[in-house]
């Protein structure tokens, strides 16, 4: 059973507009949520994270929103740029030392100039 | 700092052959991980290590073995490769596990098993 779900395999957005990537989770024991970005032929790189005690975390053009009651989080990119075109993975983990990250299947974002 | 490096970058094997993938990190991280990425499947954890001399199974451990004899190295072995093991393999490391601890990924190894 998939614990972290990214139901949109792909998303296309015009340059300058907002990109919204969604993620749902089923395990209520998850305490932290992270977003990773992956370009072709490279390893994933960390983008932004949020603790379950917060509902929003912002870093420049990237904002992550967490709705614990709905077990849903979203990543907003404003404004979107062509260099943001990549695969974005949502991941979740617990707070203990031996809790590995659980990844979603990813969403491929294409920002069109 | 090189971060996380993986050797080799590409490899083609025949069914039944064996090989070892090497992961090295120079950040003095305690935790290391091996993932595989398949189309439409995201990243799935194969094995991980919480410190030198320790290993643990992840989500998809069958057909793989690992060793962490030195803190900076994490080896992934395939004793008898199968076509189902065709994938891109990523190694990662982190200073701690859980919480907001970021994992640092290597560039990946693309393995094809014929």
């Amino acid at each position: 059973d998939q614990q972290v779900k990214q139901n949109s395999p792909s998303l296309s957005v015009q340059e300058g507009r907002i990109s919204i990537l969604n993620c749902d989770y089923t395990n209520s024991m998850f305490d932290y949520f992270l977003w990773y970005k992956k370009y072709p032929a490279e390893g994933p790189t960390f983008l932004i994270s949020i603790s379950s005690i917060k509902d929003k975390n912002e870093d420049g053009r990237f904002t992550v929103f967490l709705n614990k009651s709905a077990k849903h989080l979203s990543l907003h990119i404003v404004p979107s740029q062509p260099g943001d075109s990549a695969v974005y993975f949502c991941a979740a983990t617990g707070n203990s030392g031996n809790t590995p990250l659980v990844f979603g299947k990813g969403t491929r974002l294409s920002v069109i100039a | 700092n090189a971060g996380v490096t993986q050797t080799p970058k590409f490899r083609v094997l025949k069914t039944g052959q064996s090989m070892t993938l090497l992961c090295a990190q120079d950040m003095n991280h305690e935790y290391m991980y091996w993932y595989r990425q398949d189309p439409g499947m995201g990243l799935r954890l194969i094995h991980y290590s919480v410190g030198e001399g320790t290993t643990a199974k992840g989500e998809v451990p069958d057909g793989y073995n690992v060793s962490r004899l030195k803190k900076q190295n994490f080896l992934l072995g395939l004793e008898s490769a199968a076509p189902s093991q065709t994938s891109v393999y990523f190694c990662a490391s982190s200073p701690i596990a859980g919480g907001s601890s970021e994992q640092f990924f290597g560039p990946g190894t693309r393995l094809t098993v014929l």
Side-chain angles (χ1 to χ4, degrees):
Chain A
D1 184 32
Q2 220 182 330
Q3 298 187 70
V4 178
K5 301 178 184 179
Q6 295 178 257
N7 292 321
S8 298
S10 62
L11 174 69
S12 288
V13 172
Q14 289 281 343
E15 180 180 5
R17 305 295 290 267
I18 184 172
S19 296
I20 300 177
L21 292 87
N22 293 305
C23 178
D24 297 295
Y25 62 96
T26 58
N27 190 338
S28 57
M29 299 302 290
F30 287 144
D31 279 333
Y32 283 88
F33 304 89
L34 304 89
W35 286 93
Y36 281 79
K37 177 179 181 177
K38 185 185 178 306
Y39 292 117
E42 295 183 10
T45 54
F46 171 76
L47 188 58
I48 192 170
S49 66
I50 188 167
S51 162
S52 61
I53 64 173
K54 294 185 176 181
D55 55 17
K56 177 182 174 181
N57 188 27
E58 191 172 351
D59 183 3
R61 296 186 297 113
F62 303 91
T63 303
V64 56
F65 296 92
L66 175 62
N67 182 334
K68 278 193 70 176
S69 61
K71 294 191 176 66
H72 176 83
L73 62 155
S74 60
L75 174 67
H76 292 212
I77 307 174
V78 183
S80 300
Q81 300 174 353
D84 296 328
S85 297
V87 177
Y88 290 79
F89 291 100
C90 173
T93 184
N95 207 17
S96 69
N98 286 340
T99 308
L101 279 177
V102 179
F103 284 86
K105 293 184 177 182
T107 296
R108 181 178 301 277
L109 173 65
S110 299
V111 180
I112 304 162
Chain B
N1 285 354
V4 179
T5 57
Q6 294 183 230
T7 308
K9 287 184 169 46
F10 303 93
R11 186 73 186 268
V12 178
L13 289 179
K14 294 182 180 178
T15 297
Q17 287 185 318
S18 63
M19 78 163 294
T20 300
L21 283 69
L22 171 64
C23 176
Q25 53 97 2
D26 61 4
M27 296 173 282
N28 202 35
H29 287 170
E30 288 294 332
Y31 294 80
M32 296 188 74
Y33 314 84
W34 276 108
Y35 293 91
R36 61 178 288 173
Q37 185 193 12
D38 302 294
M41 296 297 291
L43 289 158
R44 293 184 292 170
L45 183 65
I46 304 171
H47 286 280
Y48 63 103
S49 168
V50 302
E52 181 178 320
T54 73
T55 62
K57 294 180 180 180
E59 180 187 356
V60 288
D62 294 341
Y64 305 95
N65 56 75
V66 288
S67 63
R68 184 109 181 261
L69 298 179
K70 293 182 179 180
K71 185 177 183 178
Q72 64 267 33
N73 295 338
F74 195 28
L75 278 63
L76 178 71
L78 286 74
E79 290 185 349
S80 179
S84 61
Q85 293 177 305
T86 293
S87 188
V88 181
Y89 292 86
F90 290 101
C91 176
S93 70
S94 64
I96 59 174
S100 62
S101 179
E102 172 189 348
Q103 288 187 16
F104 296 80
F105 283 82
T109 295
R110 183 174 295 275
L111 175 66
T112 302
V113 183
L114 302 175

